[in-house]
Structures are given as C-alpha cells and as structure tokens.
Amino acid sequence: MIQQSYEENGIAEKHQQLIEELKSLRREVAELKTEKAAFQAQKKLLEHSVATIIRASPEEEMLKATLQDTLDVCSQLTGAQKGSLFLLDRQGAVTDSILTQRETVLAERDRLIGCVLAQGLAGWVYRQRQVGLIVDTETDDRWLQLPNQPYAVRSALAVPILRNEEVLGILTLLHQEPGHFSPEIAHLMQLTADQIAIVLENAQLYGKIETYSKALNYELEKGRQIQRDFLPNEIPQLPNLEIATFFSPARQVAGDFYDVFMLPGDYLGLVIADVADKGVGAALFMALFRSLIRIFSGQISLGGLSIIANEAELSILLESEMATNLYQINPLKAVALTNNYIAQQHAQMSMFATLFFGVLDPATGILTYINGGHETLFIVGDTGIKASLNSTGPAVGMMPNMKFKIQQVQLELGDILIGYTDGVTEARSPSGKFFTEKRLRSLLDQSTLLASALLEHIKTNLFAHISNAPQFDDITMLIVQRKASD
C-alpha cells in the first residue's frame, strides 16, 4: 500500500510538472506571437513613415500625414473603430493632434482633447506614464463620459509615447463593444510605442530640416543673384575687340569671378580670379576682391591706403624694355594694394585668390599684366598657341608686402587671349578623369575660330567630358580677340 501511495504521488507530481511546462510553453508561444505582431506593427509603421517622408510635404503637412498614418496603422492592427493621437510639449500642452474621425470640426476636436486630458483616460496615462486599458467604460472610473458624446464607447486603450521618460504624446484607441482590447493587445501596443516615438520624432525633425533647407536655399538663391550682379552686366563694346565670357558656379554661390571695365586713358581692365575654398565664404571674398581691384585700379584711396603712382617703386617691377606709360602701368598697383588689405585686415580668415589682372591698350594691342599665382593664360594665333602668360607673383592675400612683377605682351591683329580657372582643367568625367591643361592646349592649337566660337567649342568639349558627373568646381573663362577696326 505504501509503495502504491508513493507511485501515485510520483505520477501526480509528474502530471503537475507537465501541466506547468505546458502552461510555460503556452506563455512563450503567446509572447512570441505578441513580439511577432509587434515586429510587424513596427515594420508597417516604418514603411508608412518612409512613404510620408518620400512625399516630402512641408513640415506641418508632413507631421499631420505621419500622425494620421500612425493612427490608421494602429487602428487596423487592433481593430479599433475610432481613436486619437496627439503630441505634447514638456509642459503637457497639446502641440498637434489627429482623430480617426477626420470629419470632426476643429472646435469639437479641441474640446474633446481638452476634456480627456484634464479628467479622462488620456490624462491618467499622462500622469501615470503607463498603459491604460479599460475593459468596460461603464465600470471604470478613468473613463470620462462626455455630454453629447458623438459616438458610443465601451472599451478603450491608451498608450503613452515615451522618449527618455518624456511623454511625447498619447495614442488612444476606442471600440463600441466591451472587452475588445485584451491585455495582449495592450502589450502589443506598448511594445510598438517606442517605434511610434521614433517615427514621430523623425517626422518632426525631418519637417524642421525641410523648412530650414528651403529657407537656406531661398537665401542662397538671393546670394546667387547678388553675386551675379557683381559680374559685369555689360561688357565694354570696342570696335577692334571681341570679348566672350563664361561663368558656371558649382554651387549656388561661387569663388570665381571675371571682370572687364574701362580705365582712365581708354585702357581696358581684364580680370579673372579664383578665391580659395568654395561656398558662401569664398563668394563673400570674391565680392571683396572684385571691389578692391576696381577701386584701387581707378586711383581711389581706401582705408588710408593711397594708390598715387610712385614711378620709382613701379620701375622696380618693370622689365627694362617695357613701355612706361603710367596710365597703363599705374592700375596694376591694385594687385599689391589688394594683397595688403586682405592679408592685414582678414589674416584670421586665411583667404586668398589666384588672380590675373591685365591692362590692355585697344589701340596698340599692348597688354601689361600681373599674374598672381593664377592658371597660365594663353595667346592663340593662326598657328595655335604663340605665348603663355605664367605667374609673375604669388597668390593675392596670403602675406603682406609681397612683390608682383609686371610684364607686357603684344596682341597682334587676330590674336586671342584666353584666361580660365582651374575648374576647366580639373573638370572630372564620370570615371573621375580630369579634363587637363593638355587637352585644353590641344583645342587651342587646332583652333582658327573667333573668340565667341572658340568659347563655344571649348564648352562643348568640356561638358561632353563632364557628361552626367557632378560639377566639382566653378568654371570661368574670359576670351579677348584683337581685330582690325571696321
């Protein structure tokens, strides 16, 4: 009997153990199902979030669309008939909201939200910072029955959307039947709430970035228009010269510039330059360099710097065989004065420019120039390149009191002077290959074209090389041809 009793007890213990293991397995299966459902819910929310961002609505519209998509997905997952989702600031004030009943008027929506936040389930969830599940609204004190309730509610589920213990918002789901929302559904939405927080946070952030980006683009576009105005609106029209120019910034604002202007004595000033760096900073210094060259070359003082010609000082920089007409030589002092002004007044910015400044006598074709560290300019004749105008000094603005040697060259009738920035020779193809100076030289050696036709020929070859690759740097060209007077 005793032995039988022990055996019966052992069987009972094993039976009870099996029951417990079965319960445990059921719980694990239920948890796995919930986690799978949560994963699917999060995946669906993410898909809707990405789709909303792709629509790229303005900030307010995109946030509204994200709120609506999130509420719709949660309603579908839980079988809720109605619901609401609203965002809160740190003081608990509603900053935005949406209802599944989209036709609800604004005043009615605000009234409903205000009431439930003050006394209803949503307010309880905000204060407790935990999920609120109401199986039956008729037996739960947390439910606030509003007068003239627009729809019947018997079960409710409210979920706090938390981010680092801060309540970003509250999601509320409703159904007209009691017991519709189970603890499993509540747990599912609790697991999904973190994803909802990320989606809403990203929507707000993306919307702000979009708004800021549009404002920035607007300001940059204004900057681009202003910078365009710094380039000469009208090129001087002289009977024995043809002048062609091209300017293509890599960004909305650029550091390259060219300038063509008349000087005292009926001389023509020719400038092409490339300010170090890119973007807004380079564009601001481009305007400064351009203005200083114009001011100083016109024999005007600035900031106590005088540019009255000093013949002894200029003679040091001249080759012995050069013509010494001060009307043609004197404007070139602008390079040294600009160098000193930039180096002394803006040393902390470490900004400088490669710059070519030439003074051309249209009557004789004599070009007197300084090349401050700029790309080699070429003079092209009937048989190709006949002269190279290399650097005669350093880049402008690097250090004060730098010396810039002055040189002269003769433009014969038919000769073409071509200046460009490194955006031409360093233009990249889709495979990353440079256009190169060698290729530019080959185009010039083959050319018997007029100035404007030569410019178009270079542009055609250059942009065929670039193809669909992004433009890496600003592209600027200045071409001047001396012709016989009509």
Side-chain angles (χ1 to χ4, degrees), residues 460-480:
T460 299
N461 281 269
L462 179 63
F463 284 98
H465 173 81
I466 295 172
S467 185
N468 60 353
Q471 186 177 323
F472 177 74
D473 200 359
D474 307 324
I475 295 173
T476 306
M477 289 184 278
L478 172 63
I479 298 180
V480 180

Side-chain angles (χ1 to χ4, degrees), residues 152-339:
V153 178
R154 289 295 299 276
S155 57
L157 174 64
V159 181
I161 301 168
L162 300 170
R163 194 73 170 153
N164 299 325
E165 299 302 318
E166 179 185 348
V167 181
L168 298 182
I170 297 176
L171 168 69
T172 304
L173 301 169
L174 309 173
H175 199 276
Q176 65 181 2
E177 297 293 334
H180 176 79
F181 301 108
S182 64
E184 288 76 20
I185 290 178
H187 183 52
L188 164 65
M189 296 315 299
Q190 188 174 27
L191 293 175
T192 308
D194 286 344
Q195 185 64 39
I196 297 174
I198 294 172
V199 167
L200 296 180
E201 210 171 34
N202 287 345
Q204 289 174 308
L205 180 60
Y206 188 86
K208 289 177 181 177
I209 291 173
E210 280 289 291
T211 301
Y212 175 75
S213 177
K214 288 179 180 178
L216 180 60
N217 283 336
Y218 174 73
E219 293 300 324
L220 286 173
E221 178 60 23
K222 287 200 298 185
R224 186 186 72 83
Q225 294 293 343
I226 292 171
Q227 187 178 43
R228 283 277 183 180
D229 291 341
F230 275 104
L231 300 176
N233 290 325
E234 294 183 3
I235 299 294
Q237 300 296 313
L238 300 175
N240 57 344
L241 293 178
E242 182 186 358
I243 303 172
T245 62
F246 179 72
F247 174 70
S248 176
R251 302 179 184 176
Q252 285 172 294
V253 289
D256 281 12
F257 73 96
Y258 67 85
D259 206 358
V260 183
F261 52 95
M262 297 305 299
L263 288 164
D266 294 327
Y267 291 98
L268 184 68
L270 301 168
V271 180
I272 187 165
D274 182 358
V275 179
D277 206 357
K278 300 178 181 66
V280 175
L284 292 173
F285 272 88
M286 164 268 184
L288 180 59
F289 272 98
R290 183 260 191 189
S291 298
L292 290 174
I293 290 292
R294 276 213 174 195
I295 290 170
F296 286 141
S297 65
Q299 303 183 56
I300 299 173
S301 65
L302 178 67
L305 294 172
S306 173
I307 66 165
I308 297 173
N310 183 325
E311 190 169 352
E313 181 180 337
L314 285 171
S315 65
I316 298 173
L317 304 174
L318 296 172
E319 297 287 351
S320 58
E321 68 273 14
M322 283 187 188
T324 55
N325 185 334
L326 287 181
Y327 276 113
Q328 187 169 10
I329 301 297
N330 192 61
L332 293 173
K333 289 190 68 177
V335 176
L337 289 165
T338 299
N339 175 79

Side-chain angles (χ1 to χ4, degrees), residues 387-401:
S388 299
L389 280 54
N390 299 315
S391 293
T392 64
V396 180
M398 297 181 69
M399 295 177 62
N401 303 317

